[in-house]
Amino acid sequence: MQTLIIVSHPSLTDSSAQRFLWESLPAEGVTWHHLESVYPDGEIDREAEQQQLLQYDRIIFQFPFYWYSSPALLKQWQDIVLTDGFAYGTNGGRLSGKEFGLVLALGVNEREYQAGGREGFSISELTRPYQAMAKKCGMVYLPTLAVSKFDYLNDTKKKELLITYQQYLTKVNDASLKASENWFILQLQSLGKAGLSDADQQLVEHLLAVLEGNREQLDDLAWTLAQMEGNQLG
């Protein structure tokens, strides 16, 4: 899978959250595309952007959630790039079937985005325009990844965010335990090719063996449960 992250942030170097996410990028299969760096004059190259979109399977908009929307340049990008005849329309639909998701940096806790919370509306409600955009383009809409109050996260929470972010960018769109196991196995297998020391290589092989062993036990358990259900129905 190839993933394009379209980042919009007018002062990226001042954002600890965005720096952390950039440093957390997987080594392969992901492209970081910061609009304000590529287009400091705001003159977006429609043809170049459209051709780039066609090369990726998953497209992510990543930005700070300013007044329940994105920074201005990302909205301008949408207006210029997602044109009739390319993204949608009788002769369009060239983005159809691609996956689309949002990574939002929030200044308040995510739990405030609900009825009765300080913000009063859910993230899902406030991002309806992006859901409508994806629908119009025939794209598969992914659950939103919200990064809230990053500067207050402890080291453990940051490690969890790193894994969650990498999964959001590279894991197949499947919430099952098996899909998560497959993702971890692929990460370990890739790590095992990275010129590790003998000791670290043995550790990777041990972790792979543990995951495979757990999978066999879970498969056995699932088979047993299926047999029990079959007996009850019989």
Side-chain angles (χ1 to χ4, degrees), residues 126-146:
L126 294 170
T127 56
R128 285 290 178 87
Y130 298 101
Q131 298 169 41
M133 181 204 78
K135 183 176 184 297
K136 191 176 187 71
C137 296
M139 303 174 80
V140 178
Y141 194 84
L142 303 174
T144 296
L145 173 59

Side-chain angles (χ1 to χ4, degrees), residues 88-132:
Y88 64 94
T90 303
N91 299 316
R94 299 186 69 186
L95 303 180
S96 180
K98 294 181 183 293
E99 296 177 346
F100 174 80
L102 298 174
V103 176
L104 305 180
L106 310 179
V108 300
N109 197 295
E110 187 177 359
R111 66 172 175 268
E112 301 294 349
Y113 285 90
Q114 60 178 317
R118 285 168 55 190
E119 303 302 325
F121 300 91
S122 69
I123 294 293
S124 182
E125 290 173 302
L126 294 170
T127 56
R128 285 290 178 87
Y130 298 101
Q131 298 169 41

Side-chain angles (χ1 to χ4, degrees), residues 16-170:
S16 55
Q18 297 299 332
R19 286 200 309 273
F20 176 86
L21 294 176
W22 182 79
E23 292 168 355
S24 302
L25 292 179
E28 298 178 350
V30 176
T31 298
W32 174 282
H33 186 51
H34 179 224
L35 295 180
E36 283 80 3
S37 294
V38 178
Y39 302 111
D41 57 1
E43 297 295 323
I44 294 172
D45 185 334
R46 173 187 291 125
E47 180 65 22
E49 293 295 315
Q50 289 181 345
Q51 289 304 311
Q52 180 171 238
L53 288 174
L54 297 177
Q55 300 173 32
Y56 293 88
D57 311 296
R58 179 174 292 175
I59 297 163
I60 305 297
F61 283 1
Q62 180 172 306
F63 56 89
F65 205 35
Y66 289 165
W67 279 110
Y68 316 112
S69 186
S70 69
L73 191 58
L74 181 55
K75 178 58 171 70
Q76 182 181 338
W77 182 96
Q78 290 177 255
D79 293 342
I80 292 173
V81 177
L82 302 181
T83 56
D84 187 357
F86 171 73
Y88 64 94
T90 303
N91 299 316
R94 299 186 69 186
L95 303 180
S96 180
K98 294 181 183 293
E99 296 177 346
F100 174 80
L102 298 174
V103 176
L104 305 180
L106 310 179
V108 300
N109 197 295
E110 187 177 359
R111 66 172 175 268
E112 301 294 349
Y113 285 90
Q114 60 178 317
R118 285 168 55 190
E119 303 302 325
F121 300 91
S122 69
I123 294 293
S124 182
E125 290 173 302
L126 294 170
T127 56
R128 285 290 178 87
Y130 298 101
Q131 298 169 41
M133 181 204 78
K135 183 176 184 297
K136 191 176 187 71
C137 296
M139 303 174 80
V140 178
Y141 194 84
L142 303 174
T144 296
L145 173 59
V147 181
S148 59
K149 303 192 73 175
F150 174 81
D151 290 332
Y152 294 91
L153 298 181
N154 58 34
D155 288 343
T156 299
K157 291 297 183 182
K158 286 180 179 178
K159 290 176 182 177
E160 292 175 0
L161 173 59
L162 184 151
I163 293 173
T164 300
Y165 184 59
Q166 290 198 354
Q167 288 184 326
Y168 194 77
L169 300 179
T170 62

